[in-house]
Amino acid sequence: MTDKHQYFSESSVLYLTARSVSIAVITGVLQNKGSLSTQLTKHASRVHSEHQAKLKEICFGVCRWYPKLNSIALSMLQQPFEEEDYDLYAALLIGLYQIDYMDTPDHAAVNEAVEASKELNKNWAGKLINAVLRRYLREKDAIIAAIDSMPSVEYVHPKWFMKRLKKHWPDNLDAIVDANNSHPPMCLRVNERHVSRETAIELLLSEDIDTEKGLFSSSSLYLKKPVRVNQLPHFELGYFSVQDESAQLAAFILDLKEGEKVLDACAAPGGKTGHLLERANLDVTALELEPWRLDKIHENLDRLQLSAKVICADASDTDSWWDGQSFDKILLDAPCSATGVIRRNPDIKINRKPKEVEELTHTQKNILHAVWKTLAPGGQLLYATCSILEEENALQIARFLETHDDAIEKALDLPEECGVKVQHGRQLLPQKQGHDGFYYCLLEKIAQSR
Ligand SMILES: C[S@@+](CC[C@H](N)C(=O)[O-])C[C@H]1O[C@@H](n2cnc3c(N)ncnc32)[C@H](O)[C@@H]1O
């Protein structure tokens, strides 16, 4: 393989280098044209399989360290780049990332960024990029010292988020930041319909895949080293799914009984839908608002050889999808700020804004109020988010309980040491080498209004 910008593979497919494609991915993220994973899905096929790992490393790395890289760049630029030149800015940020976090030789990092301006037909910017990166190489310590009290540099998180962390989780702040800035572990869910966790450990070991049991989900296994899913034995037969340990707890908390009618109100990509059905034979309705995300639910269920009624609908508009038959159990895994899974979605550091959190809080409230009507008396609803912000979690539930006298909170069947007990429910905070940040609260509909 050459390290030029483009080359032909044996099959005469024109591939680009990981660095060239990472510019396109980061530009898309900077322009807020979709999440990092959406941008990667869109562009990754232009990179040869041999260089996919490098593409991911650059893209995830730049997003993970963006608050700091951005502050460094802005401290040296006379004015920020215009949106139409975010591709150049992406090239500059990648250059800074290579200098600070990759083993790319410094001169190569500078040259590649300058070359990128030519590839982008913006030769005029080559001099500027060269000057900025060379200045950084010369004056790094002084440049960092001048900005290192900024939250973006000290914690590598946006200022608005650090303000909230300081308010909600002052004692856990350093641990949360540390976990968010780390690589997430790869966690599997063992499909206990096919294989026990003990047997799964042996099966994986026979393929040289070493694992460690999760402490809280009895179906979880952490991989000592991540692998591609097609390397997992019998993955295509549904023996394993990739799912974080904290997300696996939903299906255990719900205490499912054979034959129950269950609503999975916000289902895509269907991770938890599959787990619910692995736990018991159920009549599951899986709702999802976004039509383009439905295929993923079907794909997951097909692989697990399980089935559900999958409906594309807005869960908060019950008239559009509900036939009036009440559900015994509801899982509401609500759309949220995803602030508990920043390490898996580091572009949150770039694009998530406080206004959006406000809107999401409103959406969660609407869905919760609407689906509550579809729950049978005596039935249970599990409210879940992958957020660590109280307005989406305990405060959301507090407001709900104030306005619903037919709702009571039930204790969660989780070990004491799993997460933190909050005003309502349990808050799991992201653990370095461990589970993601998640929130759960279990509500029951009492038969008679008080
Ligand atoms: C946190 S994700 C769900 C993850 C899923 N439960 C799993 O475990 O794979 C939230 C999902 O809710 C969907 N959503 C957002 N608003 C919705 C609405 N009003 N009705 C139904 N689904 C909605 C989003 O498109 C997204 O796919």
Side-chain angles (χ1 to χ4, degrees):
M1 292 286 157
T2 73
D3 197 24
K4 296 253 184 280
H5 316 300
Q6 305 181 342
Y7 52 85
F8 289 90
S9 76
E10 306 81 56
S11 56
S12 293
V13 178
L14 184 63
Y15 288 114
L16 301 174
T17 59
R19 189 192 39 79
S20 298
V21 175
S22 61
I23 291 177
V25 173
I26 300 294
T27 305
V29 172
L30 293 176
Q31 292 174 335
N32 208 356
K33 285 189 171 160
S35 66
L36 172 58
S37 71
T38 311
Q39 289 299 317
L40 271 170
T41 309
K42 185 170 164 196
H43 296 286
S45 62
R46 291 155 66 203
V47 174
H48 193 278
S49 56
E50 265 183 48
H51 300 308
Q52 288 289 329
K54 185 171 176 193
L55 172 69
K56 277 195 176 168
E57 184 190 352
I58 296 176
C59 294
F60 273 83
V62 169
C63 290
R64 184 169 291 128
W65 298 105
Y66 173 83
K68 185 174 175 183
L69 300 173
N70 183 48
S71 297
I72 292 171
L74 291 179
S75 76
M76 290 185 286
L77 290 168
Q78 279 180 355
Q79 55 192 36
F81 281 82
E82 301 283 342
E83 186 165 347
E84 66 197 32
D85 294 322
Y86 277 0
D87 46 5
L88 289 170
Y89 196 42
L92 180 61
L93 294 173
I94 292 166
L96 289 170
Y97 176 71
Q98 287 179 313
I99 289 170
D100 273 352
Y101 300 98
M102 288 178 76
D103 54 12
T104 320
D106 290 345
H107 68 273
V110 177
N111 289 347
E112 286 178 10
V114 173
E115 276 298 303
S117 61
K118 294 181 197 154
E119 275 175 58
L120 296 165
N121 291 323
K122 295 182 176 179
N123 296 30
W124 55 267
K127 242 170 122 177
L128 172 68
I129 288 181
N130 186 50
V132 170
L133 290 177
R134 287 197 185 282
R135 180 173 160 210
Y136 184 59
L137 286 171
R138 280 193 318 270
E139 300 172 26
K140 196 190 252 190
D141 292 347
I143 288 168
I144 299 284
I147 57 175
D148 68 2
S149 61
M150 292 166 75
S152 56
V153 180
E154 187 180 357
Y155 299 107
V156 201
H157 278 69
K159 192 171 163 188
W160 72 268
F161 182 70
M162 287 315 300
K163 238 168 120 175
R164 291 194 197 199
L165 274 194
K166 281 179 184 165
K167 184 169 165 225
H168 300 323
W169 299 108
D171 299 337
N172 310 76
L173 186 139
D174 289 331
I176 295 172
V177 164
D178 195 22
N180 286 354
N181 290 341
S182 313
H183 284 261
M186 182 171 179
C187 186
L188 299 182
R189 181 181 84 226
V190 177
N191 184 347
E192 291 172 292
R193 277 187 181 244
H194 288 311
V195 68
S196 69
R197 181 160 70 162
E198 297 304 326
T199 311
I201 293 171
E202 297 303 318
L203 194 60
L204 290 162
L205 212 50
S206 69
E207 300 289 330
D208 283 333
I209 301 172
D210 206 358
T211 58
E212 197 171 305
K213 292 178 187 172
L215 295 176
F216 306 122
S217 159
S218 58
S219 55
S220 64
L221 285 176
Y222 288 94
L223 268 58
K224 299 259 171 80
K225 245 175 48 199
V227 298
R228 281 200 292 274
V229 288
N230 57 13
Q231 290 173 259
L232 297 169
H234 306 313
F235 179 75
E236 68 293 349
L237 297 177
Y239 277 42
F240 301 100
S241 297
V242 177
Q243 187 180 45
D244 183 70
E245 183 180 9
S246 59
Q248 295 181 28
L249 297 174
F252 291 105
I253 295 171
L254 267 175
D255 186 25
L256 302 156
K257 309 265 175 7
E258 291 291 306
E260 279 185 329
K261 196 171 155 57
V262 179
L263 173 67
D264 185 356
C266 293
K272 296 185 192 66
T273 321
H275 198 197
L276 298 173
L277 286 157
E278 281 171 19
R279 301 277 310 150
N281 296 308
L282 306 165
D283 172 8
V284 172
T285 300
L287 293 184
E288 170 55 45
L289 179 69
E290 303 289 350
W292 61 275
R293 289 172 66 88
L294 257 60
D295 281 354
K296 212 62 201 152
I297 306 179
H298 288 295
E299 202 180 287
N300 271 320
L301 291 177
D302 289 349
R303 188 179 58 82
L304 297 168
Q305 296 151 48
L306 296 167
S307 66
K309 204 181 298 159
V310 180
I311 302 176
C312 184
D314 177 349
S316 64
D317 178 14
T318 48
D319 287 348
S320 72
W321 60 268
W322 188 44
D323 62 5
Q325 303 281 312
S326 302
F327 294 97
D328 302 307
K329 302 272 164 66
I330 297 178
L331 169 61
L332 172 49
D333 188 15
C336 72
S337 61
T339 40
V341 290
I342 288 178
R343 58 189 180 165
R344 296 191 193 276
N345 306 280
D347 48 310
I348 289 174
K349 290 182 176 183
I350 303 179
N351 285 329
R352 183 70 76 224
K353 298 286 179 284
K355 179 95 184 85
E356 246 179 309
V357 180
E358 226 177 86
E359 287 162 9
L360 284 161
T361 308
H362 192 65
T363 303
Q364 292 151 2
K365 176 182 166 215
N366 286 345
I367 300 177
L368 178 56
H369 281 240
V371 298
W372 185 253
K373 288 183 290 192
T374 73
L375 184 66
Q380 294 188 334
L381 180 149
L382 180 62
Y383 178 81
T385 72
C386 56
S387 163
I388 58 168
L389 301 177
E390 71 174 5
E391 57 267 50
E392 298 180 89
N393 298 339
L395 282 182
Q396 183 73 270
I397 298 299
R399 290 196 196 105
F400 181 79
L401 288 169
E402 273 165 26
T403 53
H404 288 74
D405 61 3
D406 60 349
I408 49 164
E409 182 183 349
K410 300 291 286 181
L412 291 168
D413 185 15
L414 291 175
E416 287 286 309
E417 63 278 17
C418 177
V420 182
K421 281 187 183 156
V422 283
Q423 184 194 0
H424 297 288
R426 199 75 74 95
Q427 181 69 64
L428 281 75
L429 298 171
Q431 307 287 306
K432 196 173 178 176
Q433 313 293 351
H435 61 70
D436 287 343
F438 229 87
Y439 172 80
Y440 286 112
C441 187
L442 185 64
L443 302 172
E444 187 169 288
K445 190 180 245 187
I446 53 176
Q448 301 281 324
S449 291
R450 281 174 281 181

